[in-house]
């Protein structure tokens, strides 16, 4: 077992899972981060951002109204919860009432596409806003609805009561806040320099807080006018909540890149959450939805979201952000910590501090559209797609399970100990494992086996663990020891590079006169696709007359360090002769002029001995194709000058002739074609017309080169 401290080993865990970098010795699979457990299957467990797991708050479904979406919620002084929503394509929006015992009923039906906001005054009168082109309705005790106020606006996004009993109405698309007296008389109270008032909340001091879109402004509004507290980096302020000390929590959603586009369509978001107001009243904040179809779309919001806290003195802090999650609602739990509802995966998060947050649970509906915290009681969650009402906490679940992702050891392995760090706090954790040799846990895996002193599951390539947590225990990290079985290395392919080039030996200040670049190697037809190939890749060789070179691809499934033995033998020879042993690179150059002309083979043997004890070291060898060593120069014969031409014959015993040239009286070399016009044979005939100059002789030099770059030169004098 490694002596590294678990915190130090954790940094190596990901790398160990991909490649076993130190050969066949005990390896460790460590799970200790949020990313590790997000790959697992969690049931009834809460996951902290620092990787700790605890029991999740208990969840109870209170009411199913059989609608697609619920958009808003508010609770009166008797504990009755009111929520409303609608169905796509419907012409009637429904309001539902759920009493403190969880019994629900349809409280009212209103004309319009959907209920967008709900607020309840100090006398428990219920006010409901419909959208689009909606109005504010007052709902009587018998369920009859009457128009209380018409702001003559396209959208009503939010409602909030002041301590004096006036109703604030946040609208779009002119960005107005209307103030309506208890008698229903209203007028524009504030006009924002933005298109939509997306959310409203009231501070303990009675100031109105407003969130806008598309500029993402958070404003303090009172009789003196408006003041921008903060401009979010996000486009829309979808939800607001105010703490008893006056701190403001604001959810910003979406990129601002689209803000400059003219008249952008409404973004289809479900409603954000209600915020507590003075005097026991409830404020509900709502979100934009498109007309005519209100169905939210995960692709409709880009840029994720952030949660901001604005201190009572106005100092803003970003508490939480996520590139994919969209915050739809906020409430404050009994400890004063913000809890946010998100989509489009139905997440519920508690923000513990600027550094730590906890994903409490995931609800089956895709959006948590409104949240209400009951004093000393549960958090009530309202959802969209589909519309339901849940009670969450304050009790914890009795137990929860973690089923890890499937660990791939890379090769067949033996399992050792599981070393978890569990803070019991009076709780406990039970452990089980199963193993298999296919990458999905199927019926042909081993059954779940309780953990004994060591993992009891049979040796295999894949392993999975399951933990059942009971009571207030807390899982900090898990560490699993395993021993991979050593697997032989594999030499996949050998490539003989062009003659007269060698792999460079670095000499400072000296640049090679001529170089040759090779492309990446390809595997041999019989190579193993599952082995982690070690390809030398493109390489540059330097010109060196007489040199021979080769390179090869090699792999080791264990990731072991390899050494190579390179041998050579000629055609007709029985025994291999050592070229070089203990080669640590995947290439070799040697002096080809030390070998007679002829055909040769290389044998490259890979060994994983550097990473294993001698008894477990394994080897693999591969033989190359035959290749030619040619050090002999061509022969020039029958060189004659007659009938106005110089003729000759060139012959090479090993290589095809590559090129012929001539020079007149020591001038530049000029290429000449053979009589056949093709350089395609080991013997060719050449004829060069020469014009004689009266009274002067001409010296004709001829040079012939083979494909091994061996050249022969001869001369003749033409009188």
């Amino acid at each position: 077992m490694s002596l590294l401290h678990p915190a130090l080993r954790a940094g190596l865990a990901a790398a160990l899972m991909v490649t076993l970098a130190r050969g066949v010795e005990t390896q460790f699979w460590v799970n200790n981060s949020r990313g590790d457990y997000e790959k697992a299957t969690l049931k009834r467990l809460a996951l902290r951002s620092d990787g700790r797991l605890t029991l999740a708050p208990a969840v109870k479904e209170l009411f199913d109204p059989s609608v697609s979406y619920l958009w808003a919620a508010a609770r009166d002084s008797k504990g009755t919860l009111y929520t409303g929503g609608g169905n796509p394509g419907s012409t009637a929006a429904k309001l539902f009432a759920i009493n403190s015992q969880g019994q629900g009923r349809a409280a009212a039906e209103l004309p319009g596409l959907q209920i967008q906001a709900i607020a309840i005054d100090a006398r428990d009168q219920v006010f409901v806003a419909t959208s689009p082109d909606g109005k504010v309705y007052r709902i009587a005790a018998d369920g009859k609805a009457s128009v209380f106020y018409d702001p003559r606006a396209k959208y009503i996004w939010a409602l909030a009561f002041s301590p004096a009993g006036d109703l604030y109405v946040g609208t779009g698309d002119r960005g107005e806040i209307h103030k309506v007296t208890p008698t229903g008389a209203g007028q524009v109270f504030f006009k924002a320099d933005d298109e939509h008032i997306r959310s409203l909340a009231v501070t303990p001091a009675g100031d109105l807080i407003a969130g806008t879109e598309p500029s993402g402004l958070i404003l303090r509004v009172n009789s003196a006018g408006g003041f921008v507290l903060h401009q979010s980096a996000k486009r829309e302020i979808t939800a607001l909540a105010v703490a008893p000390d006056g701190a403001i929590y604001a959810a910003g959603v979406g990129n601002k890149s689209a803000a400059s586009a003219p008249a952008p369509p409404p973004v289809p978001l479900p409603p954000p959450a209600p915020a507590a107001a003075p005097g026991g009243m409830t404020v509900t904040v709502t979100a934009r939805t498109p007309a005519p179809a209100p169905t939210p779309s995960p692709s409709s919001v880009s840029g994720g979201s952030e949660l901001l806290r604005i201190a009572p003195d106005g100092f803003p802090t970003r508490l939480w952000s996520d590139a994919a999650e969209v915050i739809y609602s906020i409430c404050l739990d009994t400890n004063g910590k913000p809890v946010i509802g998100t989509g489009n995966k139905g997440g519920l998060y508690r923000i513990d501090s600027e550094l730590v947050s906890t994903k409490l649970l995931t609800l089956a509906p895709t959006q948590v559209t409104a949240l209400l915290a009951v004093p000393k009681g549960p958090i009530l969650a309202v959802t969209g797609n589909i519309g339901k009402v849940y009670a969450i906490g304050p009790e914890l679940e009795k137990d929860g399970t973690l089923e890890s992702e499937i660990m791939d050891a890379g090769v067949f392995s033996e399992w050792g100990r599981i070393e978890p760090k569990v803070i019991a706090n009076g709780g406990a954790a039970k452990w089980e494992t199963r193993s298999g040799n296919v990458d999905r846990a199927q019926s042909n895996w081993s059954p779940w086996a309780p953990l004994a002193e060591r993992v009891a599951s049979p040796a295999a390539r894949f392993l999975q663990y399951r933990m059942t947590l009971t009571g207030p225990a807390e899982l900090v990290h898990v560490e699993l020891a395993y021993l991979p079985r050593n697997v032989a290395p594999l030499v996949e392919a050998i490539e003989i590079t062009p003659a007269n080039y060698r792999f460079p030996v670095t000499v400072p200040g000296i640049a090679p006169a001529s170089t040759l670049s090779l492309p990446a190697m390809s595997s041999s037809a019989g190579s193993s696709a599952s082995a982690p190939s070690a390809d030398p890749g493109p390489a540059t060789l330097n010109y060196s007359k007489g040199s021979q070179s080769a390179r090869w691809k090699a792999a080791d499934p264990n990731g072991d360090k390899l050494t190579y033995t390179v041998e050579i033998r000629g055609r007709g020879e029985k025994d291999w002769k050592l070229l070089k042993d203990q080669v640590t690179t995947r290439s070799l150059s040697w002096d080809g002029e030390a070998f007679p002309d002829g055909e040769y083979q290389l044998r490259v043997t890979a060994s994983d001995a550097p990473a294993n004890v001698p008894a477990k070291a394994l080897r693999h060898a591969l033989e190359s194709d035959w290749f030619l060593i040619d050090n002999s120069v061509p022969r020039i014969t029958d060189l004659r000058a007659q009938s106005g031409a110089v003729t000759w014959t060139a012959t090479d015993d090993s290589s095809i002739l590559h090129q012929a040239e001539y020079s007149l009286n020591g001038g530049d070399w000029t290429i000449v074609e053979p009589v056949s016009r093709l350089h395609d044979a080991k013997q060719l005939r050449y004829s060069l017309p020469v014009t004689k100059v009266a009274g002067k002789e001409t010296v004709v030099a001829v040079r012939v080169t083979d494909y091994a770059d061996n050249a022969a030169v001869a001369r003749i004098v033409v009188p």
Side-chain angles (χ1 to χ4, degrees):
M1 192 172 220
S2 172
L3 297 179
L4 286 175
H5 187 277
L8 298 178
R9 280 200 296 266
L12 302 175
L16 292 173
M17 284 300 299
V18 178
T19 304
L20 309 178
R22 298 184 60 193
V24 181
E25 61 180 37
T26 301
Q27 307 292 336
F28 295 89
W29 181 38
V30 179
N31 287 174
N32 66 350
S33 70
R34 180 179 66 178
D36 294 333
Y37 296 124
E38 284 178 339
K39 300 172 187 174
T41 300
L42 304 180
K43 294 181 180 178
R44 303 180 300 281
L45 290 176
L47 173 59
R48 262 178 34 172
S49 57
D50 58 2
R52 298 195 174 196
L53 286 168
T54 57
L55 290 178
V59 179
K60 178 184 178 182
E61 182 180 315
L62 286 182
F63 183 61
D64 182 354
S66 299
V67 295
S68 297
Y69 293 94
L70 296 175
W71 302 98
R75 186 170 175 268
D76 67 15
S77 62
K78 301 180 184 65
T80 300
L81 174 70
Y82 291 89
T83 183
N87 291 302
S90 175
T91 58
K94 293 183 178 181
L95 178 72
F96 301 94
I98 303 100
N99 64 24
S100 57
Q101 288 75 43
Q103 298 168 332
R105 61 182 175 84
E109 188 168 301
L110 305 170
L113 187 63
Q114 64 203 22
I115 292 174
Q116 191 66 49
I118 304 171
I120 301 175
D121 69 8
R123 294 183 296 168
D124 283 342
Q125 292 187 105
V126 180
F127 295 81
V128 173
T130 58
S131 191
D133 298 317
K135 300 174 178 62
V136 179
Y137 293 86
R138 180 164 50 195
I139 311 300
D142 60 0
K144 292 183 179 180
S146 59
V147 175
F148 177 70
Y149 181 68
D150 183 358
R152 302 186 183 278
K154 182 68 176 177
Y155 301 101
I156 301 175
W157 300 128
L159 300 175
F161 274 105
S162 74
D166 294 320
L167 178 64
Y168 294 113
V169 181
T171 70
D173 49 5
R174 295 192 299 270
E176 296 174 345
I177 300 174
H178 293 242
K179 183 178 180 180
V180 188
T181 68
T183 63
Q187 61 183 352
V188 175
F189 176 65
F190 177 75
K191 175 71 171 68
D193 294 330
D194 222 341
E195 295 179 29
H196 300 272
I197 302 295
R198 290 284 286 103
S199 48
L200 293 175
V202 178
T203 70
D207 285 343
L208 183 65
I209 306 301
T212 75
E213 188 269 337
S215 299
L217 303 179
I218 303 163
L219 300 112
R220 185 186 303 275
V221 182
N222 52 34
S223 57
F227 177 76
V228 176
L229 296 172
H230 184 69
Q231 181 172 16
S232 169
K234 301 300 181 181
R235 176 182 174 89
E236 304 182 41
I237 305 302
T238 56
L240 292 168
V242 180
D245 66 354
I248 300 164
Y249 295 91
V253 168
N255 284 330
K256 280 189 176 179
S257 57
S260 59
V267 176
L269 293 176
M281 295 173 291
T282 301
V283 176
T284 298
V285 181
T286 58
R288 297 179 65 189
T289 53
T295 305
S297 168
S299 62
S300 63
V301 178
S302 61
S305 55
E306 65 180 12
L307 179 68
L308 301 167
R309 179 184 186 272
I310 301 176
D313 65 358
F315 184 77
T317 304
R318 186 170 71 174
L319 294 181
W320 184 91
S321 66
D322 191 276
E325 295 275 28
V326 178
I327 303 175
Y328 295 151
S329 49
I330 309 171
C331 75
L332 302 178
D333 69 9
T334 54
N335 296 315
K337 293 182 178 179
V339 176
I340 57 176
T342 70
N344 289 296
K345 296 182 180 179
L348 193 73
Y349 293 83
R350 182 183 65 230
I351 313 305
D352 301 298
S353 70
E354 293 180 33
L355 299 176
V356 178
S357 62
T358 301
K359 187 171 187 179
L360 297 173
L361 49 85
T362 300
L363 295 174
T366 57
Q367 290 95 15
V368 181
T369 56
L371 293 172
L372 283 169
V374 177
K376 299 182 181 180
I379 291 176
L380 302 177
V382 169
T383 65
N385 195 20
I386 54 178
K388 291 189 176 184
V389 180
Y390 295 87
I392 300 169
E395 302 84 6
L396 298 179
E397 298 282 4
K398 294 181 179 179
D399 60 56
T401 60
L402 157 66
E403 194 169 292
S404 75
E405 67 169 324
I406 294 174
M407 191 275 281
D408 181 3
V411 295
F412 188 85
S413 298
E414 299 173 29
W415 316 117
R417 296 178 184 272
I418 286 182
E419 294 286 349
K421 181 178 179 181
V422 177
I423 301 174
N425 294 328
K430 182 181 76 173
W431 298 85
E432 301 166 284
T433 61
R434 61 180 175 178
S435 61
N437 288 300
V438 291
D439 59 4
R440 289 183 298 166
Q442 302 175 30
S443 58
N444 50 358
W445 270 45
S446 70
W448 288 107
L451 184 67
E453 182 181 357
R454 296 177 182 273
V455 173
S457 300
R461 173 172 172 174
F462 301 98
L463 185 79
Q464 189 177 36
Y465 68 82
R466 181 168 67 187
M467 178 206 68
T468 302
L469 202 66
T470 56
E474 180 177 333
L475 175 65
V476 178
H477 76 258
V478 184
E479 180 178 276
L480 168 71
Y482 63 100
L483 182 66
R485 184 72 57 85
N486 191 29
V487 181
L490 177 67
V491 182
E492 297 184 35
I494 302 174
E495 178 184 78
I496 307 299
T497 62
N500 302 309
Y501 286 88
R502 67 177 297 113
F503 289 97
V505 176
T506 304
V507 179
I510 300 178
S514 180
T515 60
L516 175 69
S517 294
L518 300 175
M521 289 183 65
S522 58
S523 300
S524 61
S527 67
S528 171
S530 62
S533 298
D535 180 7
T540 299
L541 287 78
N542 298 337
Y543 184 82
S544 176
K545 184 67 179 77
S547 291
Q548 295 285 335
S549 299
R551 61 175 182 163
W552 52 90
K553 290 184 72 173
D556 188 274
N558 301 102
D560 292 343
K561 180 181 179 181
L562 301 177
T563 60
Y564 307 94
T565 300
V566 185
E567 300 166 290
I568 191 170
R569 70 178 177 185
R571 179 80 74 174
E573 297 176 4
K574 178 181 179 181
D575 296 328
W576 292 95
K577 286 80 177 176
L578 180 66
L579 264 180
K580 193 170 183 180
D581 198 11
Q582 297 296 312
V583 178
T584 57
T585 60
R586 293 183 296 278
S587 61
L588 181 68
S589 298
W590 69 95
D591 184 6
E593 293 182 339
F595 293 83
D597 289 5
E599 290 186 309
Y600 292 84
Q601 265 186 312
L602 284 189
R603 182 170 71 181
V604 177
T605 303
S607 170
D608 62 7
N612 294 277
V613 296
K616 292 187 177 181
L618 298 173
R619 297 160 63 91
H620 177 261
L622 181 68
E623 298 175 5
S624 74
D625 294 333
W626 292 96
F627 63 95
L628 179 67
I629 292 180
D630 179 9
N631 294 313
S632 300
V633 300
R635 299 188 302 277
I636 298 175
T637 59
D638 198 21
L639 179 60
R640 299 180 182 181
Q642 56 185 10
S643 304
V646 173
T647 59
W648 70 95
T649 299
T651 306
D652 193 278
D653 294 333
S654 301
S655 301
I656 293 174
L657 296 171
H658 173 59
Q659 184 173 273
E661 302 163 286
Y662 71 90
S663 171
L664 300 179
N665 296 324
D668 294 338
W669 290 100
T670 303
I671 295 174
V672 60
E673 290 183 338
V675 173
S676 65
R677 299 187 63 186
L678 298 174
H679 281 100
D680 59 355
K682 295 179 181 179
Q683 185 177 79
L684 295 170
R685 182 72 177 167
Y686 296 88
S687 179
L688 174 66
V690 177
T691 301
K692 296 176 61 176
V693 179
K696 293 185 178 181
E697 62 183 12
T698 302
V699 177
V700 180
V702 296
R703 181 168 66 186
V704 180
T705 306
D706 64 16
Y707 267 91
D709 208 23
N710 300 308
V713 180
R715 62 189 291 274
I716 188 172
V717 178
V718 180

